[in-house]
Amino acid sequence: MAARLVRRCCWRHLGAFVSAPSAASASLLVPAGKVATARALPQAPVALFHTSSPSSWADGFPVQEQVEESRNPEHKVIGELIEAATTPQELFHLSQLHVLNSNQASLVIIQLSHLAAKKNLETESILRDERFQQLVAITDSQISQVWNNTLVNLLKSLCALGMDGNRSEMQSVEQEVLWRLRRLTFRQLASLAEFLAVRQGKESKLLSEISRKLELRWTELEGTQTVVTLMAKVGHVSPALMDRLEDKALELAEQFSPDDIRKIALALAYQNRRCVPLLRALSYHLVQKHSELRLNVLMDLIFAYGKLNFHQPQVFQKIATDLQPHVPTMTPLEVTRCIRSFALLKWLSLPLFEAIAQYALDNAKQLSVTHLCGIILSFARLNFQPSGSEDFFNMVHEMLQGQLDSLEPHLLTDLVWSLCVLQQAKAPYLQRVLAPDFHARIQGDPSLKAQNLRLKLIHINAAAKLESPGYRGPFLPPEMLSATEPAAEKVTVLQSGLREALAAVLGSRDNGRFDVRTAYGWRI
């Protein structure tokens, strides 16, 4: 009863200074319990914002702005004129006709930024214009009087127009935002963080502070779009914030659309965050609830799973099944990217790979040598032989003829190694990578990349000796074989268990030989 009495008193008090039509409109916009708060705040200029344009980067009107608009018809008219302007000259002319306060000057700058982005205008002329400098001066002189919502968008607009961050006016706006962080809504903070992450990156001091505020106020986080946007754009700035976002995403997993799942998976992949509970939840809902997925969703999902090395057979089967009808219309780059991801996961779908082999045959003229190499490397990683292997490899040999010298040494080595795995390495390929001038480039190089390349050359050398009876040389020199020190490998649980079992069977480790390095590049 007391609450209702206070509410009625507030409405009666509000009616004392708002006209009848304005009060009626305010009753549609302002919750009754918030009117007393609006009345208690100091007067300030109205902060209109064009919500249908790209400049609507933050929340809509705060309550106090709606009340102030209804109180001051002149401010409302100026705001409508600013919003209706279609050229920078109209806005500059408006600023000369009317005496603008700092909030209205900020709105003019925001609209200038919107027009520049919408019409692809040259921003240097706007920044150099004397009238623009006057607007900036007005804003700077009374920066504390600018509404929160307008202030957030003012900072974005000045950045979008390309104003120098070292200018005192720009630093004044940033400092004012920094001081007001505690008063900004969560959505305003999220919107500003997204903008600064794209514009300024991790080095932004303001972005670091905003990320800290978002982390502390993460319980206010609502809505799937905000979660997805923050994970994709801001998560890399603050690992602690990303932890909170992952927890929230796990809570909202059932509500995500396929495109949301795609963006979250990519965010995790690019940040190399293998959050298994979240990935499992997203995988479950993806398989259970979404029957048809678009090509870009399928491509990005398999890429993310491959980069994170996260195995989910049901998802892989669904992606492969859904991808197969798209193969004939895909570009060579899409095909290469798709098959490489499956190869990284070591997951073979025979119908999909047969479709890709047929695609390569049908579109041989559109495939570059690099794309063809990507397909061959993926086939070799999964030891896949197409059903029409004779036609396929005839096409491969024809396309590679005369192209070996144009390939980068590591790609050439991978290509010949893959052809050896697929038992399709001919003498010209072997001769090219086993020639002294080729392997001389990596001798004495201690880098991991060089060691891996040397190991693959030893495998190729072994295939040339043991699986190519017609091949007569050249071969790798003995000193290169004996000097090989394979890169350190982690002993898996299976390997250590096997060695212990063998030692038990033999009675002692002294009765057997373990981890023997052979001249063929393999350890026995």
Side-chain angles (χ1 to χ4, degrees):
M1 182 179 295
R4 286 198 297 272
L5 180 60
V6 171
R7 194 175 300 122
R8 289 180 62 188
C9 291
C10 290
W11 276 111
R12 186 164 298 178
H13 191 48
L14 182 66
F17 63 88
V18 180
S19 61
S22 298
S25 61
S27 68
L28 296 176
L29 296 171
V30 186
K34 296 186 178 180
V35 176
T37 306
R39 179 66 184 131
L41 292 169
Q43 297 180 10
V46 62
L48 294 174
F49 205 78
H50 191 4
T51 56
S52 61
S53 70
S55 59
S56 66
W57 285 321
D59 291 341
F61 296 133
V63 174
Q64 53 266 48
E65 293 186 47
Q66 297 166 8
V67 174
E68 183 63 32
E69 179 185 354
S70 63
R71 286 186 61 189
N72 198 323
E74 182 183 354
H75 287 171
K76 182 176 182 180
V77 170
I78 293 176
E80 290 174 350
L81 290 173
I82 293 172
E83 198 173 4
T86 57
T87 65
Q89 293 307 317
E90 288 182 27
L91 290 168
F92 287 140
H93 184 62
L94 178 66
S95 67
Q96 299 296 305
L97 290 178
H98 300 271
V99 178
L100 303 180
N101 57 40
S102 59
N103 201 79
Q104 291 164 339
S106 300
L107 291 173
V108 173
I109 294 173
I110 292 169
Q111 186 68 358
L112 281 170
S113 172
H114 164 52
L115 291 176
K118 182 179 180 180
K119 299 186 176 183
N120 198 24
L121 301 178
E122 202 270 319
T123 58
E124 281 295 326
S125 60
I126 296 177
L127 293 173
R128 288 195 302 265
D129 195 293
E130 184 178 348
R131 293 164 295 182
F132 179 82
Q133 300 298 331
Q134 292 174 356
L135 291 169
V136 173
I138 293 171
T139 300
D140 184 54
S141 65
Q142 298 176 340
I143 190 66
S144 61
Q145 300 301 314
V146 179
W147 285 103
N148 290 348
N149 197 52
T150 309
L151 181 66
V152 169
N153 294 292
L154 173 64
L155 177 58
K156 295 177 181 179
S157 298
L158 292 175
C159 291
L161 288 171
M163 177 176 279
D164 185 3
N166 294 321
R167 284 189 54 170
S168 59
E169 298 91 340
M170 187 71 170
Q171 292 179 350
S172 175
V173 175
E174 290 187 352
Q175 190 62 44
E176 186 67 23
V177 171
L178 196 59
W179 285 341
R180 294 198 205 178
L181 287 182
R182 294 181 63 182
R183 289 189 284 163
L184 298 181
T185 67
F186 190 92
R187 288 183 60 194
Q188 287 171 335
L189 289 173
S191 172
L192 189 54
E194 177 191 352
F195 180 85
L196 293 175
V198 174
R199 285 279 176 173
Q200 299 181 7
K202 284 186 176 182
E203 65 276 5
S204 171
K205 176 185 174 183
L206 180 57
L207 178 59
S208 300
E209 290 297 325
I210 294 173
S211 299
R212 195 171 294 114
K213 292 294 181 186
L214 289 171
E215 179 190 343
L216 293 174
R217 295 171 57 180
W218 74 278
T219 53
E220 301 176 37
L221 185 57
E222 293 180 356
T224 57
Q225 287 306 309
T226 306
V227 175
V228 171
T229 301
L230 287 176
M231 292 185 76
K233 302 289 181 65
V234 189
H236 68 283
V237 177
S238 170
L241 174 61
M242 191 64 178
D243 289 338
R244 300 294 192 186
L245 293 172
E246 287 175 354
D247 292 341
K248 195 66 177 180
L250 185 59
E251 178 185 329
L252 300 174
E254 189 176 359
Q255 302 176 31
F256 289 130
S257 67
D259 198 55
D260 291 336
I261 295 175
R262 175 186 72 86
K263 291 177 182 177
I264 293 175
L266 284 177
L268 294 173
Y270 288 137
Q271 297 174 47
N272 200 26
R273 296 181 65 97
R274 198 172 183 271
C275 182
V276 174
L278 178 57
L279 289 169
R280 283 177 177 169
L282 295 177
S283 301
Y284 173 81
H285 292 296
L286 186 71
V287 173
Q288 295 296 322
K289 295 175 60 179
H290 305 293
S291 56
E292 294 184 7
L293 301 176
R294 299 195 310 273
L295 177 60
N296 68 321
V297 174
L298 296 168
M299 296 289 297
D300 288 343
L301 281 176
I302 195 62
F303 164 78
Y305 280 75
K307 194 169 188 308
L308 294 171
N309 193 28
F310 182 76
H311 288 259
Q312 200 71 25
Q314 287 183 318
V315 176
F316 297 165
Q317 184 60 52
K318 176 176 177 56
I319 292 175
T321 303
D322 290 356
L323 269 176
Q324 189 180 342
H326 291 285
V327 170
T329 59
M330 291 166 65
T331 65
L333 180 61
E334 289 173 335
V335 169
T336 307
R337 184 183 171 208
C338 160
I339 196 173
R340 184 182 298 150
S341 297
F342 278 106
L344 283 173
L345 291 164
K346 295 185 179 179
W347 200 85
L348 176 62
S349 169
L350 289 176
L352 177 62
F353 274 60
E354 287 288 359
I356 290 175
Q358 188 60 48
Y359 174 92
L361 281 170
D362 297 339
N363 299 273
K365 293 182 179 179
Q366 284 74 44
L367 287 175
S368 68
V369 175
T370 305
H371 292 145
L372 182 63
C373 290
I375 294 175
I376 296 171
L377 266 59
S378 300
F379 281 2
R381 187 173 176 85
L382 293 172
N383 198 21
F384 171 72
Q385 293 279 357
S387 57
S389 59
E390 185 175 350
D391 292 338
F392 177 80
F393 286 110
N394 284 339
M395 178 272 294
V396 168
H397 296 315
E398 184 178 344
M399 284 190 64
L400 292 176
Q401 191 171 3
Q403 298 293 328
L404 298 182
D405 291 336
S406 65
L407 298 180
E408 186 265 338
H410 289 276
L411 178 58
L412 177 58
T413 304
D414 286 340
L415 172 65
V416 178
W417 182 90
S418 299
L419 290 173
C420 289
V421 171
L422 297 171
Q423 299 182 344
Q424 294 293 329
K426 294 186 175 181
Y429 307 124
L430 301 173
Q431 291 169 347
R432 185 67 190 85
V433 296
L434 297 178
D437 63 324
F438 186 83
H439 58 74
R441 306 178 193 178
I442 61 170
Q443 286 186 348
D445 187 349
S447 68
L448 180 62
K449 191 174 184 180
Q451 289 185 42
N452 290 332
L453 180 61
R454 189 181 298 115
L455 182 60
K456 285 193 174 182
L457 287 177
I458 294 174
H459 291 168
I460 294 170
N461 189 71
K465 284 184 176 181
L466 304 177
E467 297 179 356
S468 303
Y471 180 72
R472 295 291 178 263
F475 297 98
L476 294 180
E479 61 271 16
M480 190 171 179
L481 303 178
S482 59
T484 300
E485 289 292 333
E489 293 182 6
K490 259 179 96 174
V491 178
T492 65
V493 176
L494 176 61
Q495 288 173 329
S496 61
L498 176 61
R499 291 175 186 178
E500 291 175 4
L502 287 173
V505 170
L506 296 172
S508 170
R509 290 184 65 88
D510 297 334
N511 296 332
R513 297 176 63 192
F514 298 87
D515 198 22
V516 178
R517 296 189 178 109
T518 69
Y520 305 113
W522 302 103
R523 292 189 295 175
I524 301 176

